[in-house]
Amino acid sequence: MPWDRHGMAARAAAELRDGMYVNLGIGIPTLVANHIPEGIFVTLQSENGMLGMGPFPFEGEEDPDLINAGKQTITELPHSAYFDSATSFAMIRGGKIAMAILGAMEVSEEGDLANWMIPGKLVKGMGGAMDLVAGVGRVVVVMDHTNKAGESKLLRRCTLPLTGQRVVHRIITNLGVLDVVEGGLRIVECAPDVSEQDIRSATEARIV
Amino acid sequence: MNKVYPDARAALDGLLFDGMLIAAGGFGLCGIPELLIAAIREAGTRDLTVASNNAGVDGFGLGVLLESRQVRKMMSSYVGENAEFMRQYLSGELELEFNPQGTLAERMRAGGAGIPGFYTRTGVGTVVAEGKEHKEFDGQTYILERGIVADLAIVKAWKADTTGNAVFRKTARNFNVPAATCGRVCVMEVEEIVPPGSIDPDHVHLPGIYVHRLIQGRHEKRIEQRTTRPRPAASA
């Protein structure tokens, strides 16, 4: 059976290493925080100005001065630190954040990422995504392998406006794990009961 | 020297003019200068260009200046929470310059620090890079982004002493620091004004040199996405 949202999040959490500073995007990547393996200490960055992001508050303890990048109320931890937006993106642009785990609308076989805009339809903005993919050490994308019509979202070339060019290192989909390598994508792992052939036939991008 | 003004209207007196560029602090509705925004609405200043990470929501924050059609152009990274914004943008009434969030923050920081431009990898190969100078450093391509110097910065802090030394609370610091520094004039609203000496000089987040006028007021501090977790069952 392919992975569901939680399965993908759990697989993405297996990418984490002890001591990492990590930025999690909105959507499935947020769920990764619930699957951090035992014995691994990671510090989550929220790009609006916090390291050491804690869980949602108990009802009645919400603080309007304490939110994450998705504008949700959160809490702090004993090792939390706050800073301004310029400092926050200095640590992102400066390569201090080891990994970003982000959602995507499309990824190309060269590692191009599109996740911020659908022309004429969705005009919300890129937020911090362009800074993250250009700055962090490693970009892991978590996404459905195909769209609702069953068409591949892993493409030869992206059709949507890019968030970054040649920035994605690893893609985790409901069907498996693929790496961006010279000449295309390489299958690293298949989800339970999914074959390499299943992945190949669901993928437009070249698989090498 | 007196930086303390009785209210937002008095603090903005003589600073507003049509067509001006305003830099505003805040992220979403967190740490926004809500009292100064309301006073700009009252003043009716028009054709504003506003550099702010977000554009408020319908009826609150910068959303109130969009409703009153006082904004001609926004410089933002994310505007997804505002239906009126979307309507005005798609109908061509409102100009929008999307800036990657970190680029916007650094443009403000640079402007305030006397740096007219900087090179960044952010946005290379995307629409953001179109029309901008590209330059290679050590085999990597970067684009030139310009510093922002605003006619006016409006920001919100938690508390400040009467000389403007300011302290922020938690994630409400966000764009307030870079926005404050990039204004030719900066007006700050706080929850509490305290006498000099009440804030440990080691704990000042924004030195008073950046703050020209100061007001204290009551803030609504609206929450945009109230998210909670269940309490663990009480042990008997």
Side-chain angles (χ1 to χ4, degrees):
Chain A
M1 215 176 71
W3 285 313
D4 63 6
R5 291 162 56 82
H6 295 281
M8 283 189 267
R11 179 57 191 81
E15 299 290 313
L16 302 172
R17 299 290 175 268
D18 191 47
M20 268 188 176
Y21 290 83
V22 178
N23 184 293
L24 303 179
I26 293 165
I28 299 173
T30 305
L31 301 175
V32 173
N34 303 332
H35 298 275
I36 296 172
E38 195 84 14
I40 286 190
F41 187 91
V42 296
T43 303
L44 301 180
Q45 197 232 23
S46 191
E47 66 265 25
N48 54 316
M50 183 185 199
L51 280 167
M53 190 172 27
F56 295 147
F58 296 126
E59 200 177 318
E61 294 180 5
E62 309 92 319
D63 185 338
D65 289 338
L66 182 46
I67 64 169
N68 64 18
K71 284 97 180 177
Q72 297 169 309
T73 45
I74 51 167
T75 55
E76 64 186 21
L77 298 170
H79 65 287
S80 294
Y82 300 111
F83 33 84
D84 67 73
S85 298
T87 306
S88 179
F89 283 93
M91 63 182 75
I92 289 170
R93 203 184 301 103
K96 315 300 177 187
I97 304 290
M99 184 187 288
I101 302 178
L102 303 171
M105 298 170 184
E106 295 175 349
V107 176
S108 84
E109 63 191 28
E110 293 193 317
D112 297 349
L113 169 68
N115 75 350
W116 76 281
M117 187 190 196
I118 302 173
K121 263 191 183 167
L122 181 78
V123 197
K124 292 188 168 185
M126 70 289 280
M130 285 190 181
D131 310 273
L132 281 162
V133 299
V136 303
R138 185 169 168 81
V139 175
V140 174
V141 159
V142 182
M143 65 191 295
D144 283 324
H145 208 98
T146 55
N147 64 20
K148 287 195 178 93
E151 297 156 347
S152 177
K153 292 166 72 165
L154 280 49
L155 305 172
R156 300 286 309 263
R157 297 178 68 92
C158 291
T159 63
L160 295 169
L162 296 185
T163 308
Q165 205 171 35
R166 297 177 184 237
V167 293
V168 176
H169 297 91
R170 175 163 282 193
I171 309 161
I172 298 169
T173 76
N174 51 321
L175 300 184
V177 180
L178 300 95
D179 274 350
V180 179
V181 297
E182 195 63 41
L185 306 180
R186 186 170 57 85
I187 299 172
V188 175
E189 189 180 324
C190 298
D193 302 322
V194 175
S195 70
E196 283 205 11
Q197 190 47 49
D198 294 334
I199 293 183
R200 281 173 192 276
S201 53
T203 307
E204 184 203 284
R206 270 185 296 205
I207 291 184
V208 295
Chain B
M1 181 179 81
N2 177 37
K3 294 187 180 183
V4 180
Y5 285 70
D7 56 33
R9 192 169 76 166
L12 291 170
D13 187 45
L15 300 181
L16 301 175
F17 58 92
D18 292 349
M20 72 189 301
L21 169 59
I22 297 177
F27 180 93
L29 300 180
C30 181
I32 59 169
E34 52 183 270
L35 305 173
L36 292 162
I37 291 168
I40 292 170
R41 161 101 184 221
E42 290 274 299
T45 319
R46 301 192 64 82
D47 291 324
L48 300 173
T49 297
V50 181
S52 167
N53 188 57
N54 311 94
V57 296
D58 292 304
F60 194 66
L62 288 171
V64 304
L65 299 183
L66 294 168
E67 269 165 24
S68 56
R69 309 291 177 87
Q70 288 170 264
V71 181
R72 182 180 60 80
K73 178 180 174 182
M74 287 296 305
M75 300 162 75
S76 304
S77 86
Y78 192 85
V79 296
E81 285 92 3
N82 192 312
E84 174 63 13
F85 185 104
M86 210 60 68
R87 194 199 62 71
Q88 288 186 23
Y89 173 66
L90 293 173
S91 71
E93 296 163 56
L94 182 69
E95 207 181 316
L96 171 60
E97 179 191 298
F98 269 132
N99 284 249
Q101 193 174 140
T103 294
L104 183 63
E106 188 64 12
R107 290 184 67 190
M108 291 180 180
R109 196 201 69 81
I115 296 170
F118 59 92
Y119 291 99
T120 178
R121 285 202 305 278
T122 302
V124 170
T126 75
V127 292
V128 165
E130 285 171 14
K132 289 175 185 162
E133 185 199 324
H134 287 57
K135 192 171 167 114
E136 283 218 354
F137 294 91
D138 307 321
Q140 284 261 20
T141 304
Y142 294 74
I143 54 172
L144 177 66
E145 294 281 1
R146 296 293 311 272
I148 294 172
V149 177
D151 297 307
L152 171 68
I154 53 171
V155 298
K156 191 257 171 192
W158 177 39
K159 50 181 181 179
D161 69 24
T162 52
T163 73
N165 290 319
V167 178
F168 299 86
R169 226 183 133 256
K170 304 185 186 287
T171 57
R173 198 180 322 179
N174 57 55
F175 275 81
N176 282 298
V177 170
T181 65
C182 84
R184 288 194 184 91
V185 183
C186 172
V187 182
M188 174 183 280
E189 59 183 69
V190 298
E191 294 173 47
E192 189 186 2
I193 296 176
V194 296
S198 312
I199 298 171
D200 183 337
D202 268 335
H203 295 170
V204 171
H205 295 141
L206 181 73
I209 189 169
Y210 294 109
V211 181
H212 303 95
R213 299 185 182 186
L214 191 58
I215 57 160
Q216 175 181 308
R218 287 177 61 86
H219 292 82
E220 179 183 335
K221 302 218 291 185
R222 195 182 290 186
I223 290 177
E224 202 163 331
Q225 303 272 352
R226 191 177 295 274
T227 44
T228 57
R229 69 188 146 130
R231 280 176 193 278
S235 52

